[in-house]
Amino acid sequence: MPFSLVNPRMVRAEVAPGQRLFNQRGAMLAYTGSVTFTPSITGGQGGVRGMIGRRVAGESVPLMAVEGSGTVLFGHGGHGVHVVDLAGETLYVEADRLLAFDGTLRQGTVFLGAQGGVMGLVRGQATGQGLFTTTLQGKGSVAVLAHGGVLELPITPDRPVHVDPQAYVAHRGEVRNRLTTAIGWREMVGRGSGEGFQLQLSGSGAVYVQASEEKL
């Protein structure tokens, strides 16, 4: 695992020759050893198509490619940091939540309408995510940002999880999501908080929830 927590707001990455990491530009706090930081045009294994897709989707966040040999400390804005280890699954996360991640992971962009049709789009608007989200797939680690720390909640076929849309950070695995509400559509129009509805996630995987309803 290339990432380890130094404290709740800082993560350490061990960089080795032949290994590449990516971090959100401006997130490097300090480093030791012989390490280089290069602006990333394509942003990893998503290639040019992934880059174009993210720009069209408004999901583009400037990245730096990290290579060499040494130790790097990452953090951003004093936000909480959580490390997610992927074993081949797909992580769905907003681009601005990404602090740093393995260069072995494949990046992509997903249209939320494909995750629950119209309700997927409503979910995007309710969470403030817009119409698209970023995906990272493969074996590797991801450091994500959140307010007030993160709790990982397992999702199983017989036990779906309901999350306040404003507290949602990311999810991984074979997970379906839909927005549920206890109020009528006319009452919901104009509401900006997640108190009137919840995000229901079902299937097999996990969801990451922050201890706050604040945006980054």
Side-chain angles (χ1 to χ4, degrees):
M1 183 179 73
F3 299 113
S4 59
L5 287 177
V6 177
N7 60 48
R9 294 177 175 82
M10 187 183 301
V11 69
R12 176 190 296 112
E14 301 297 336
V15 183
Q19 178 189 50
R20 175 182 292 180
L21 304 177
F22 291 94
N23 71 274
Q24 187 176 138
R25 192 173 300 178
M28 189 278 289
L29 301 176
Y31 72 91
T32 61
S34 180
V35 181
T36 62
F37 300 85
T38 308
S40 174
I41 298 176
T42 60
Q45 295 192 358
V48 174
R49 290 182 60 187
M51 176 193 69
I52 294 173
R54 286 189 295 277
R55 289 193 182 280
V56 171
E59 272 288 302
S60 179
V61 169
L63 297 175
M64 301 293 289
V66 185
E67 297 176 288
S69 177
T71 300
V72 186
L73 299 179
F74 296 112
H76 186 67
H79 299 307
V81 181
H82 184 78
V83 176
V84 179
D85 296 314
L86 298 177
E89 320 99 303
T90 299
L91 178 71
Y92 298 81
V93 60
E94 296 310 292
D96 61 359
R97 294 274 186 177
L98 292 173
L99 177 66
F101 58 93
D102 273 327
T104 56
L105 297 174
R106 182 173 181 81
Q107 295 184 63
T109 302
V110 171
F111 177 56
L112 289 178
Q115 294 186 303
V118 173
M119 292 307 290
L121 301 182
V122 175
R123 171 207 143 185
Q125 295 303 317
T127 59
Q129 296 172 351
L131 303 181
F132 297 82
T133 196
T134 293
T135 61
L136 292 172
Q137 183 179 30
K139 294 182 179 180
S141 298
V142 185
V144 298
L145 296 168
H147 276 290
V150 172
L151 178 65
E152 178 179 340
L153 300 175
I155 302 169
T156 60
D158 60 342
R159 191 174 184 180
V161 177
H162 297 260
V163 176
D164 184 321
Q166 304 299 332
Y168 168 88
V169 173
H171 72 270
R172 63 174 172 84
E174 297 297 323
V175 174
R176 299 176 301 279
N177 64 83
R178 68 187 183 94
L179 206 65
T180 62
T181 178
I183 61 177
W185 281 101
R186 292 182 180 178
E187 296 173 292
M188 195 173 78
V189 172
R191 289 175 177 257
S193 71
E195 296 177 357
F197 45 89
Q198 302 85 39
L199 185 63
Q200 177 182 300
L201 300 108
S202 58
S204 298
V207 59
Y208 301 90
V209 181
Q210 68 178 14
S212 170
E213 293 185 345
E214 293 184 45
K215 294 298 179 183
L216 292 181

